[in-house]
Amino acid sequence: MERNNISTVRSINQKVGNLLWKEVCKVLSVGAVPTHIAFIMNGNRRYEQKLNLLKGTGHRAGLQAMLTMLMHCCELGNLDLLSEPVRNAAEELMVKTANYSKFVFTFCIAYTSTDEMVHAIQEACEERQREMRELRSKGGDYEAEKTVKIVDIEKHMYMAIVPDPDIVVRTTGENRLSNFLLWQTANIDLYSTPKLWPEMNF
């Protein structure tokens, strides 16, 4: 039965195989070709209910849609928030793709923007405290160096490894960011498509 459901999903994905191309073309039509597109991937359960599929099949279809975009390199957020088996698998994947640089696929797992910002602020403050202690030990003017600047915070963001997105594509017709890349998307375009994430497939 499960095999039939998966076959159904694959068949449907083939029929809607050009949907993502159409959506990407719409995205690209708003201006210059972006170097970084962020996707908010939701709608898996709604896709499952829409097609009356077995529970969990929608997420498998969503995974298939994601894998079509996954190139070679994976970076994640706070790995400590993952269970040990998932964390080990993620770390193994990062090691195996560490030397590949042609494409970068940034994949946020166990990620929230608020967690990222808190992490970055804590790291920036701790770094500044270390610098002040070092200056103090050398008799320097540590008072002049105690302010934490925006650039100090930004370099400690999980997403500091990639440029800010040029555009965010949100599935299911939602017009909100849902705690996703709030710092990095202050001045970028949000494109909302009514398509469910599993329907976004080549």
Side-chain angles (χ1 to χ4, degrees), residues 90-104:
E91 289 171 346
E92 182 181 352
L93 179 60
M94 288 191 292
V95 168
K96 287 182 177 179
T97 60
N99 295 321
Y100 188 88
S101 59
K102 188 174 180 181
F103 300 105
V104 175

Side-chain angles (χ1 to χ4, degrees), residues 70-177:
L70 179 60
M71 295 300 182
H72 298 280
C73 186
C74 182
E75 290 287 343
L76 298 101
N78 187 354
L79 295 182
D80 292 335
L81 298 177
L82 301 174
S83 65
E84 186 175 355
V86 176
R87 183 171 62 251
N88 291 341
E91 289 171 346
E92 182 181 352
L93 179 60
M94 288 191 292
V95 168
K96 287 182 177 179
T97 60
N99 295 321
Y100 188 88
S101 59
K102 188 174 180 181
F103 300 105
V104 175
F105 186 95
T106 309
F107 187 45
C108 300
I109 294 179
Y111 167 90
T112 67
S113 192
T114 48
D115 174 66
E116 178 183 33
M117 287 187 277
V118 168
H119 162 82
I121 291 167
Q122 287 175 336
E123 290 291 317
C125 290
E126 289 173 9
E127 180 181 59
R128 187 48 46 90
Q129 287 174 347
R130 287 193 299 271
E131 291 171 352
M132 288 172 62
R133 283 195 296 269
E134 187 175 340
L135 280 170
R136 187 183 303 134
S137 69
K138 295 178 179 178
D141 183 11
Y142 61 88
E143 285 295 326
E145 298 296 329
K146 67 181 181 181
T147 304
V148 174
K149 301 177 177 65
I150 288 178
V151 66
D152 301 320
I153 296 170
E154 287 182 334
K155 73 180 181 181
H156 290 290
M157 290 283 186
Y158 299 139
M159 302 300 289
I161 58 168
V162 292
D164 289 348
D166 300 297
I167 190 165
V168 172
V169 178
R170 175 71 193 253
T171 57
T172 68
E174 299 286 353
N175 291 308
R176 54 192 170 83
L177 290 172

Side-chain angles (χ1 to χ4, degrees), residues 1-17 47-54 57-58 60-62 64 198-199 201:
M1 183 68 174
E2 183 175 337
R3 184 176 296 175
N4 290 337
N5 273 273
I6 293 172
S7 297
T8 301
V9 168
R10 286 179 180 157
S11 174
I12 292 166
N13 281 340
Q14 288 172 357
K15 291 177 182 177
V16 297
Y47 178 79
E48 181 179 281
Q49 292 163 1
K50 176 181 173 181
L51 299 176
N52 198 27
L53 300 172
L54 288 176
T57 309
R60 289 189 189 91
Q64 186 178 349
E199 295 172 333
N201 201 348

Side-chain angles (χ1 to χ4, degrees), residues 44 57-70 107 197-198:
N44 296 317
T57 309
H59 284 88
R60 289 189 189 91
L63 175 63
Q64 186 178 349
M66 185 202 70
L67 290 175
T68 63
M69 296 185 187
L70 179 60
F107 187 45
W197 174 249

